[in-house]
Amino acid sequence: MAGTSVPSAPSPGAAPSFTATTFLLLRHGETPLTAQQRFSGSGAGDPPLSERGRRQAEQAAAALAARGDVAAVVSSPLARCRQTAAAVADRLGVEVGIAADLRETDFGRWDGLTFAEVRARFPAEMAAWLAEPSVAPPGGESFAEAAARVSRARDELLAAFQGRTVLLVSHVTPIKTLVRLALGAPDAALFRMHLDPAALSTVAYYGDGNASLRSFNDTAHLRS
């Protein structure tokens, strides 16, 4: 699979068309930039989890291990996701696969800035970015470009894990994109969703091509 490296797993055989393939979508735990509400993409910076983020990863890991149905763990290549994924994989006794296409959007020159700072320094560029998914931040990547690679990762992973439940550890934009695509929602839906650090969302995919959003932004495991 181009851009994707997943650990080998026993084949369940050909899955019946009514058997769903389930993606558990876990946003990485908090980083120092998350707490400050700064753009944190796949560009210049690659911040690790904060102490709170590591606790969130462990809480998510405990909840996911208790499910008993997670067949594999696949992560974005960025450090904050790999750390989050490792906490879960350690509990499950599995390896972490890497899918490069699950990385966060590259925000270019906006990386590390707050929304207010970007609006003040790049008013015209931000207005265009908010209005049109094909517009990229200066030196960065557009939402349309990110959606194309996320769709590619989805299709590769669906083929690799047919009929099973797999945990994907990723970022705000890829997870929202998978949810938007599952719902058949317009591009503007990205700006209508809120996703907390270490939140879980669930999408089930069926053999007839349909998809069903089962949960979104679930943080119950972080309250224990």
Side-chain angles (χ1 to χ4, degrees):
M1 291 179 288
T4 305
S5 172
V6 298
S8 59
S11 172
S17 61
F18 56 80
T19 301
T21 302
T22 301
F23 285 176
L24 303 175
L25 308 174
L26 176 63
R27 185 188 173 194
H28 61 79
E30 185 179 282
T31 75
L33 293 183
T34 311
Q36 298 171 20
Q37 297 185 326
R38 296 182 179 275
F39 281 91
S40 183
S42 59
D46 189 8
L49 296 179
S50 63
E51 182 178 348
R52 183 180 182 185
R54 291 191 294 273
R55 288 198 305 270
Q56 291 171 333
E58 291 296 339
Q59 289 171 305
L64 288 161
R67 286 178 58 103
D69 64 348
V70 181
V73 177
V74 180
S75 173
S76 153
L78 298 182
R80 52 198 184 271
C81 284
R82 288 189 286 106
Q83 288 178 300
T84 304
V88 181
D90 286 348
R91 293 258 190 163
L92 298 177
V94 301
E95 298 177 6
V96 176
I98 299 297
D101 285 335
L102 293 180
R103 67 190 181 277
E104 181 58 286
T105 305
D106 185 347
F107 294 114
R109 292 170 61 189
W110 298 354
D111 239 329
L113 301 179
T114 65
F115 194 89
E117 288 169 341
V118 171
R119 189 184 290 279
R121 300 181 197 182
F122 303 89
E125 292 90 341
M126 170 162 274
W129 177 72
L130 291 172
E132 176 51 57
S134 64
V135 173
E141 176 186 31
S142 72
F143 282 142
E145 291 170 325
R149 61 173 168 79
V150 169
S151 296
R152 181 170 63 234
R154 175 201 60 195
D155 294 345
E156 292 174 346
L157 291 164
L158 284 173
F161 295 103
Q162 186 181 30
R164 287 174 281 178
T165 297
V166 57
L167 174 70
L168 307 186
V169 184
S170 189
H171 310 262
V172 167
T173 303
I175 293 174
K176 287 184 178 181
T177 297
L178 288 168
V179 170
R180 178 182 71 77
L181 293 172
L183 294 174
D187 297 301
L190 289 179
F191 298 112
R192 306 290 191 271
M193 299 183 227
H194 174 79
L195 200 63
D196 288 302
L200 270 169
S201 303
T202 308
V203 178
Y205 298 87
Y206 300 91
D208 61 2
N210 285 319
S212 173
L213 179 64
R214 299 292 186 85
S215 67
F216 181 73
N217 199 41
D218 181 3
T219 58
H221 52 282
L222 302 179
R223 302 187 199 114
S224 57

